[in-house]
Amino acid sequence: MSAPLIAWSGVSAGYDDARVLHGIDLQVHAGEVLAVLGRNGAGKTTLLHALFNLGPQVQGRLTVHGQDVTGWPTHRIARLGLALVPQGRGVFADLAVRDNLRLATLAPHTRSTSAGAGRAWTLERVFETFPRLAERQRAASGSLSGGERQMLAMARALLTQPQVLVLDEPSEGLAPLAVQEVIARHVADLARDGLTVLLVEQNVPLALQLASRVAVLSAGGLAFEGTPEALARDKALQREHLGV
Ligand SMILES: Nc1ncnc2c1ncn2[C@@H]1O[C@H](COP(=O)(O)OP(=O)(O)O)[C@@H](O)[C@H]1O
Ligand SMILES: [Mg+2]
């Protein structure tokens, strides 16, 4: 296997007096869809926020393309080709859809498009990929449905020309049909196109449907790492660590 694109090595993380993650060793490899599953409070967001240096105190080592990025400011980590779609979407509600997208193209962590191997993400390509956003481009982002807002958040992330798309519970609050049409369809298309995806989810069927590899986070430690098929078979593990 090639050197990992992202690696957490002996990473513990937490907030002031509360330690949340305990010595995590995990890698993301180029071209895979890695799903990290876990119950509410398991530490999934903390795992991502440790990587992006977005708040938690971190011990251990984080690397991107083998380079130690521990303690780097968030925008420098993002410039290495990592785009985070935060839990709850993080779009500017008062801005029109189009202006939210334009802002993303100006973001300081946007990579020069020549750096990427694939076709660059432009407003035009975003509107081709998400026709609904083209229809709603003049609408205030706050007026979008949950599914539309998730498309906008994904589009904003893609406009920074990432190599890895990191999604924090994208299916949260969406109806089953929207989960399929917005998340499943687009993540599958993007992965087929060569994008590496780190998908954090509580939705086990969605993760099993999309992932090439699965990890289960439970009480701040890794309880499982393996294929979606192996997790699907292990009902006892699902019951104990995922509550399904
Ligand atoms: N900013 C924070 N300050 C203090 N505690 C936090 C903070 N964010 C999360 N936590 C705590 O860390 C634990 C893990 O949270 P989180 O990483 O958000 O889990 P998940 O994303 O799996 O639901 C929870 O007990 C939560 O209350
Ligand atoms: Mg979370």
Side-chain angles (χ1 to χ4, degrees):
M1 215 181 258
S2 57
L5 218 158
I6 304 171
W8 290 255
S9 303
V11 168
S12 297
Y15 312 91
D16 296 327
D17 45 0
R19 194 153 109 153
V20 175
L21 297 179
H22 311 281
I24 298 287
D25 289 302
L26 182 69
Q27 294 90 36
V28 180
H29 295 276
E32 75 176 347
V33 178
L34 173 67
V36 175
L37 283 161
R39 283 187 174 131
N40 219 3
K44 303 181 299 299
T45 296
T46 302
L47 181 78
L48 301 184
H49 284 189
L51 170 64
F52 282 90
N53 196 8
L54 280 168
Q57 291 126 29
V58 175
Q59 290 166 298
R61 209 161 74 104
L62 293 154
T63 58
V64 177
H65 294 295
Q67 182 166 22
D68 192 335
V69 300
T70 319
W72 281 27
T74 304
H75 70 274
R76 280 189 65 206
I77 295 168
R79 278 188 71 93
L80 295 174
L82 275 53
L84 173 66
V85 178
Q87 188 167 10
R89 284 107 204 184
V91 298
F92 298 104
D94 294 339
L95 285 185
V97 166
R98 198 183 172 84
D99 295 329
N100 254 302
L101 293 170
R102 282 217 183 96
L103 264 185
T105 67
L106 301 174
H109 52 274
T110 297
R111 297 194 303 165
S112 80
T113 54
S114 58
R119 191 154 64 102
W121 283 94
T122 58
L123 270 187
E124 201 178 20
R125 185 175 175 200
V126 158
F127 288 149
E128 249 169 55
T129 306
F130 304 98
R132 188 66 191 146
L133 292 182
E135 289 164 30
R136 301 281 274 143
Q137 59 179 291
R138 282 171 222 293
S141 303
S143 72
L144 299 180
S145 70
E148 291 166 348
R149 208 175 294 200
Q150 187 62 46
M151 287 190 243
L152 176 56
M154 287 171 75
R156 278 173 47 103
L158 291 168
L159 284 167
T160 69
Q161 318 299 337
Q163 184 179 2
V164 189
L165 187 64
V166 181
L167 300 158
D168 193 354
E169 294 205 40
S171 79
E172 192 180 28
L174 299 188
L177 188 65
V179 170
Q180 282 307 309
E181 286 181 352
V182 176
I183 312 302
R185 194 180 116 222
H186 288 107
V187 169
D189 285 351
L190 292 166
R192 206 174 303 115
D193 238 39
L195 197 70
T196 303
V197 179
L198 172 55
L199 174 68
V200 161
E201 264 299 340
Q202 288 196 55
N203 184 330
V204 178
L206 177 68
L208 294 178
Q209 176 186 354
L210 289 171
S212 44
R213 210 158 58 82
V214 187
V216 173
L217 197 59
S218 183
L222 282 180
F224 173 89
E225 234 189 302
T227 63
E229 294 76 21
L231 180 63
R233 275 195 304 270
D234 198 337
K235 301 290 181 207
L237 187 129
Q238 289 190 43
R239 237 183 343 263
E240 185 178 350
H241 297 291
L242 299 171
V244 292

